[in-house]
């Protein structure tokens, strides 16, 4: 196994799937000549040419629709948004066209396509460029929503997303591209809809996804030094959600904290809590707590930004609270 | 209905410098320097040169501050394009409106925003024009009718039409000027806004700053019809293309557009042909990836500051000492802005929760 960055793992997945299936193409802003705004598509133009690695004008609504139309007649597009903040301009196509096409057509038109790009906050990008969109997208029946945390997951999940015959929203962590990890060579897929137990313990369950799964692991390691061993359930796929893995863990630990990058109200964590109270009502020793971005737009100033984001201290405090240690 | 618009200074208690340093603005003139007595023409040229020097020296310090980590996030410099802001703002009245994109430092300063509060905003300090909450891409100053600093390409173009609508609604004779890059002309919101502005006869001047690149993409690779002024014809709107490295060409065209907006209540689409001398943002090299060093150097020969300076030299209007003095003044103001920002406090943590919603009901 090679040690790769998250960026290179995604690049490898793209490359392998482009080789495997000539119906697959990548389209988006700066993906070809510039090698991608975040260099995820580096080298692909040279290898696959301009019909398969396609630069677009700044027209998110338009090229998302182009992808959908091409998928209706047999292609398998990967639509890259430079960031998910700009995908908002295309949300009509993602929600009203892609997500519902199969249903509206009584099963005639599946949408074998991927919408992907960086999601979540970065550093000091302020209110319009620092947002986590998974709860919005996970709300929509017809979509699958994937949020890889590690390079290996990024590769395995992207390959599965490209092969899936449904529209898959693939949310990459904007801050994760430079993170490193071991990645299996060649054919490696991870089924969508399966969570991953990334740390094991019996004191409490931390449920997280995407960048927050890394934070959860970091918190688990810190708590381990205090003799508190926690389960970390990385959802990996937010929709469909792997309720069974969450429930198995909570039945063991009897406590849970849900960690996410997005806002509190109607967030992914709210859904996790709902599943837990239905599946594990009699197993719980304390209320489930949530850690998330503060309920404000992301501020620019460094100190305010830091205060707005979920962090290790907030997560540790929540774990200790559900354990009645604080 | 009245067109008397009550304007209050933005965050008056927090940044008194914003209003304290506002320079008195010149009243609108129908054309660039025509009709002005010769002495005033020279004075005007000096003012324009000063404005461009200030923008330039200020932004050079921004690049330095960014390298030192005092400014973070995205930071898009305007260097090379200053004639557009200097020329346009010199024609606006205080009660006119400005809406722009994320490449907004030069326009904010040319509009009269205090370099101190702009730098403080870039440093993320409490004394910044948006209290440190917006940063480089989101400069706002209500007291100057400077309506931001917007980060999503093209999304602010309809806002300008909305301002035009409000002017018309109240029967006023102000105009709204809207700046955006040439890559924004492919966005749906741009087209929707132009259609409404023309259909409803709204007093808006739409200014395309065509610096030939949208990030790393040359206009020819993204836009089927590179003659972007044809988009005016599509909406039955007056359109012009201007050599925007010449501040007087800018003033001529903007002057006509403002006149049309004030008197006829009709919008105009102006293409300002320019070039950005720096990378798209701080993480992008000025040349070497999508444009050559030669191309950059060729275009830097038509630096808007040089163009005006040479004209003034040729006319004997700018003795050597004057130029050095103007430059020195700009550097001093930029240094003062830096010092002010550097000394200013971070916003208090309680600010995190302020300004999410207002508590009033009208
Ligand atoms: C809708 C949207 N898509 C993508 C981006 C990312 N982006 C920021 S600036 C930019 C290029 C815009 O070019 P142009 O309109 O020519 O303005 P310039 O930066 O040259 O001033 C891009 C692609 C964005 N901010 N908004
Ligand atoms: Mg441009």
């Amino acid at each position: 196994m090679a040690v790769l960055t998250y960026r290179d793992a995604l690049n490898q997945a793209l490359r392998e799937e482009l080789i495997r299936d000539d119906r697959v193409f990548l389209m988006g802003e700066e993906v070809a000549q510039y090698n991608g705004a975040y260099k995820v598509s580096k080298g692909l133009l040279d290898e696959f040419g301009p019909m398969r690695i396609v630069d677009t004008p700044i027209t998110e609504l338009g090229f998302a629709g182009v992808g959908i139309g091409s998928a209706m007649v047999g292609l398998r597009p990967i639509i890259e948004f430079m960031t998910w903040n700009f995908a908002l301009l295309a949300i009509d196509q993602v929600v009203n066209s892609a997500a519902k096409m199969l249903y509206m057509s009584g099963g005639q038109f599946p949408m074998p396509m991927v919408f992907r790009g960086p999601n979540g906050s970065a550093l000091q990008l302020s209110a319009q460029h620092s947002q986590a969109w998974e709860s919005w997208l996970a709300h929509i029946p017809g979509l699958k929503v994937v949020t890889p945390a590690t390079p290996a997951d990024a590769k395995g999940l992207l390959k599965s997303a490209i092969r899936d015959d449904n529209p898959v929203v693939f949310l990459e962590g904007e801050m994760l591209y430079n993170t490193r990890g071991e990645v299996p060579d060649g054919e490696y897929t991870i089924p969508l809809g399966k969570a991953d137990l990334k740390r094991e313990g019996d004191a409490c369950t931390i449920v997280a996804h995407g960048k927050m799964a890394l934070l959860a692991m970091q918190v688990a390691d810190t708590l381990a030094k205090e003799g508190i061993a926690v389960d970390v359930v990385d959802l990996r796929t937010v929709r469909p959600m792997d309720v069974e893995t969450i429930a198995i863990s909570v039945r063991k630990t009897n406590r849970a904290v849900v960690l996410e990058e997005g806002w509190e109200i109607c967030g992914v964590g709210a859904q996790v809590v709902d599943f837990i109270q239905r599946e594990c009502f009699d197993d719980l020793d304390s209320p489930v707590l949530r850690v998330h971005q503060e309920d404000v737009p992301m501020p620019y100033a460094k100190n305010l930004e830091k205060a707005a984001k979920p962090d290790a201290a907030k997560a540790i405090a929540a774990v200790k609270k559900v354990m009645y240690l604080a | 209905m009245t067109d008397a618009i009550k304007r209050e200074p933005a965050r008056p208690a927090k940044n008194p410098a914003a209003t304290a340093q506002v320079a008195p603005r010149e009243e609108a003139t129908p054309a660039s320097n025509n009709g002005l007595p010769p002495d005033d023409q020279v004075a005007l040229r000096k003012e324009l040169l000063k404005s461009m020097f200030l923008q330039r020296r200020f932004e050079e310090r921004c690049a330095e501050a960014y390298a030192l980590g005092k400014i973070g996030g995205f930071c898009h410099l305007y260097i090379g394009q200053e004639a557009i802001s200097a020329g346009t703002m010199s024609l606006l009245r205080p009660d006119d409106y400005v809406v722009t994109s994320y490449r907004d430092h030069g326009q904010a300063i040319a509009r009269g925003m205090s370099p101190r509060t702009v730098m403080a905003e870039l440093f993320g300090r409490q004394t910044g024009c948006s209290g440190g909450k917006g940063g480089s891409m989101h400069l706002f100053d209500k007291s100057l009718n400077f309506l931001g600093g917007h980060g999503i390409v093209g999304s602010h173009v309809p806002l300008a039409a909305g301002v035009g609508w409000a002017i018309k609604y109240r029967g006023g004779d102000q105009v709204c000027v809207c700046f955006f890059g040439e890559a924004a002309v492919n966005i749906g919101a741009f087209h929707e806004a132009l259609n409404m502005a023309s259909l409803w006869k709204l007093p808006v001047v739409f200014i395309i700053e065509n610096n030939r690149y949208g990030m790393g993409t040359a206009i020819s690779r993204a836009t089927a019809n590179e003659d972007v002024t044809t988009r005016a014809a599509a909406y039955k709107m007056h359109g012009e293309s201007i050599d925007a490295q010449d501040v007087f060409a800018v003033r001529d065209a903007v002057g006509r557009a403002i006149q049309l907006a004030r008197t006829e209540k009709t919008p105009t689409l102006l293409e300002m042909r320019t070039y950005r001398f720096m990378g798209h943002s701080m993480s992008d090299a000025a040349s070497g990836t999508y444009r050559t060093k030669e191309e950059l150097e060729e275009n830097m020969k038509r630096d808007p500051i040089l163009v005006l300076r040479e004209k003034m030299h040729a006319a004997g209007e700018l003795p050597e000492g004057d130029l050095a003095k103007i430059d020195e003044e700009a550097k001093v103001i930029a240094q003062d802005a830096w010092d002010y920002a550097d000394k200013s406090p971070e916003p208090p943590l309680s600010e995190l929760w302020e300004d999410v919603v207002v508590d009033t009901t009208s």
Side-chain angles (χ1 to χ4, degrees), chain A residues 24-47:
Chain A
V24 174
F25 67 96
L26 173 68
M27 177 177 269
E29 291 159 19
E30 308 282 3
V31 298
Q33 280 201 12
Y34 201 69
N35 283 310
Y38 294 84
K39 306 296 171 210
V40 171
S41 51
K42 193 169 180 188
L44 298 181
L45 173 65
D46 288 344
E47 186 169 351

Side-chain angles (χ1 to χ4, degrees), chain A residues 29-30 37 57-61 63 81-83 85-89 128-129, chain B residues 74 76-78 81 101-103 137 150-155 180-185 187 208-217 219 276 279-281:
Chain A
E29 291 159 19
E30 308 282 3
I58 306 174
T59 47
E60 286 82 2
L61 178 67
F63 67 74
F81 295 117
M82 191 176 279
T83 79
N85 303 292
F86 315 140
L88 284 203
L89 277 73
Q128 293 183 324
H129 285 75
Chain B
F74 289 145
H76 309 83
L77 302 184
Y78 194 61
Q81 306 182 200
S101 74
Y102 46 84
R103 200 177 295 286
M137 296 188 286
H150 300 270
I152 308 299
V153 169
S155 286
F180 46 92
E182 86 292 338
V185 306
I187 282 268
I208 307 169
E209 301 197 74
N210 183 359
N211 59 17
R212 304 200 344 229
Y213 293 89
M215 219 171 252
T217 303
I219 181 170
R276 92 172 129 64
H280 168 74
S281 66

Side-chain angles (χ1 to χ4, degrees), chain A residues 30 33-34 38 55 57-60 82 86 89 123-126 128-129 294-297 299-304 307-308, chain B residues 69 72-74 121-122 124 132-135 137-138 151-152 183 186-187 214-217 221-222 284 346-347 352-353 356:
Chain A
E30 308 282 3
Q33 280 201 12
Y34 201 69
Y38 294 84
D55 276 330
I58 306 174
T59 47
E60 286 82 2
M82 191 176 279
F86 315 140
L89 277 73
L123 294 172
Q124 286 199 277
L125 298 189
S126 196
Q128 293 183 324
H129 285 75
E294 302 303 326
D295 194 21
V296 300
Y300 167 77
K302 245 185 217 163
N303 63 327
L304 297 186
Chain B
F74 289 145
E121 187 61 34
L122 269 52
K133 286 180 175 172
M137 296 188 286
H138 308 302
I152 308 299
N186 298 317
I187 282 268
M215 219 171 252
T217 303
R221 297 204 301 117
D284 179 41
E346 288 184 325
L352 183 60
W353 300 99
V356 181

Side-chain angles (χ1 to χ4, degrees), chain B residues 279-309:
Chain B
H280 168 74
S281 66
M282 301 310 296
S283 60
D284 179 41
S287 68
T289 44
Y290 51 87
R291 58 185 196 185
T292 62
K293 194 159 173 267
E294 291 70 41
E295 180 189 305
L296 174 63
E297 281 168 0
E298 195 52 38
N299 279 281
M300 285 176 75
K301 288 184 192 156
R302 294 217 68 235
D303 182 326
I305 294 182
L306 278 184
V307 171
L308 177 59
R309 215 176 81 182

Side-chain angles (χ1 to χ4, degrees), chain A residues 114-182:
Chain A
V114 177
F115 298 101
R116 50 161 288 273
N119 175 59
S121 60
L123 294 172
Q124 286 199 277
L125 298 189
S126 196
Q128 293 183 324
H129 285 75
S130 257
Q131 311 176 82
W133 293 109
E134 49 270 38
S135 64
W136 280 48
L137 294 151
H139 193 59
I140 310 297
L143 297 179
K144 294 187 179 182
V145 180
V146 182
T147 56
T150 66
D153 287 352
K155 175 173 177 181
L157 290 167
L158 183 54
K159 285 171 73 85
S160 296
I162 294 168
R163 295 180 195 185
D164 200 291
D165 286 334
N166 296 286
V168 179
V169 166
F170 196 87
L171 303 167
E172 298 157 15
E174 186 161 339
M175 293 297 286
L176 299 183
Y177 288 121
N178 287 329
T179 58
R180 298 177 155 274
E182 288 198 337

